[in-house]
Amino acid sequence: MTSQKPAQDMPQSEKAFEVRNVGLSIQGNPILSDVSLEFPAGEVVALVGHNGSGKSSLLKILGRQLSSTSGTITCGGRELGHYGDRDFARAVAYLPQDLNTGLEMTVRELVGCGRYPWHGALGRFSEIDKGKVDAALAATHIEMLADRLVGTLSGGERQRAWIAMLVAQDARCLLLDEPTAALDVAHQIEVLSLVRRLAHEGGRSVVIVLHDINMAARFCDRIHALKRGHVVASGTPATILVPDTLHDIYGIDMNVISAPNLNHPLAYAC
């Protein structure tokens, strides 16, 4: 049976990812141009910007779902191409936008799929795997849903189940592509609170694509903003949520107000 080396023993670095001069062209159309960004380990980092700005494409490149046409990317100080498929899956977990598969599985079965990189197609589901699944269900507070079919869950519950699968995968880096899309505000807050807790309490690094700049400011440690495939802003929420920077990102006049119960301002269109 394949040895199940703990994720925390994987190569470590102060940077979860480092992106240098990355470009992407598809059928001659530039999607990303000269993108250079750092993603510190242990932080929740948001990618924001207009539709078509290149956010999801960059996330797919980080997750080896797409190959860049130029530049270099390292994960934990190691170039992406130097990872074998199984080693990379043990280090990085990717959650796409389309989650319409696995609807006929139970939540426990879906979460168990996260253990595939550790035992492979022919490996036996071990007590270690079972323990990781149980721990992932507990970490995401969905133990009571374990025997439910995924297709019967609400949107927020379903997102929690998929995130639990990533937790069971035991990867130190989580890549989430718009996990709050189509969720109401209450479920958005629920899912993003979970993501933040998993990062800060579990020592994970998270890169998350978001549309709502206020949600990004509330739940993320750092924000990288893209526009037409270029980096237009990068920094903490406090440095991003200023009128001039918001105009650079969205191309419209925006202002900010302070909120007594938040440690960052709120942005709104003028």
Side-chain angles (χ1 to χ4, degrees):
M1 184 174 67
T2 302
S3 175
Q4 298 197 11
K5 185 180 179 183
Q8 56 266 29
D9 291 341
M10 300 300 289
Q12 296 294 301
S13 168
E14 291 183 359
K15 299 179 183 116
F17 292 95
E18 188 168 9
V19 176
R20 286 288 172 260
N21 308 116
V22 162
L24 173 67
S25 294
I26 297 178
Q27 296 180 338
N29 297 313
I31 308 299
L32 296 169
S33 301
D34 198 28
V35 172
S36 293
L37 291 168
E38 294 183 355
F39 298 81
E43 289 191 357
V44 182
V45 182
L47 295 175
V48 304
H50 284 300
N51 286 338
S53 62
K55 307 182 301 295
S56 292
S57 295
L58 178 57
L59 194 77
K60 287 177 181 177
I61 291 173
L62 296 180
R64 299 209 316 187
Q65 307 295 307
L66 278 177
S67 296
S68 63
T69 49
S70 62
T72 60
I73 300 177
T74 59
C75 173
R78 182 177 171 189
E79 288 194 24
L80 291 192
H82 293 172
Y83 282 89
D85 288 344
R86 182 172 289 187
D87 279 347
F88 188 74
R90 291 176 176 182
V92 178
Y94 170 77
L95 190 65
Q97 291 183 39
D98 183 8
L99 299 178
N100 290 322
T101 58
L103 300 181
E104 299 304 317
M105 302 173 73
T106 67
V107 169
R108 183 178 295 279
E109 288 169 341
L110 176 68
V111 176
C113 291
R115 299 305 300 162
Y116 178 83
W118 297 94
H119 58 66
L122 301 178
R124 185 171 60 86
F125 200 81
S126 68
E127 286 300 313
I128 293 175
D129 296 316
K130 182 180 181 301
K132 293 291 185 180
V133 169
D134 289 341
L137 292 168
T140 51
H141 302 311
I142 56 170
E143 305 101 309
M144 74 295 295
L145 303 176
D147 297 322
R148 290 266 304 274
L149 293 178
V150 173
T152 68
L153 303 180
S154 70
E157 290 170 340
R158 192 177 303 180
Q159 288 290 42
R160 279 181 171 269
W162 281 97
I163 292 171
M165 186 190 76
L166 303 194
V167 174
Q169 192 170 326
D170 220 12
R172 308 317 297 166
C173 297
L174 309 183
L175 308 178
L176 311 176
D177 196 353
E178 296 190 45
T180 58
L183 296 183
D184 59 38
V185 173
H187 283 113
Q188 289 180 40
I189 291 173
E190 175 186 311
V191 168
L192 292 175
S193 297
L194 169 63
V195 169
R196 184 175 176 85
R197 179 171 57 80
L198 290 173
H200 291 177
E201 295 180 7
R204 298 175 179 86
S205 306
V206 178
V207 184
I208 182 169
V209 172
L210 292 173
H211 274 292
D212 189 324
I213 189 67
N214 288 315
M215 288 293 188
R218 178 172 178 175
F219 291 102
C220 300
D221 303 296
R222 192 174 306 270
I223 297 172
H224 297 323
L226 299 174
K227 186 174 185 179
R228 291 192 289 272
H230 295 270
V231 178
V232 292
S234 177
T236 62
T239 62
I240 296 296
L241 269 73
V242 295
D244 287 348
T245 301
L246 292 168
H247 187 277
D248 290 341
I249 297 169
Y250 296 107
I252 60 173
D253 290 332
M254 299 185 71
N255 212 333
V256 297
I257 57 173
S258 60
N261 60 331
L262 297 175
N263 58 5
H264 60 83
L266 291 173
Y268 63 94
C270 296

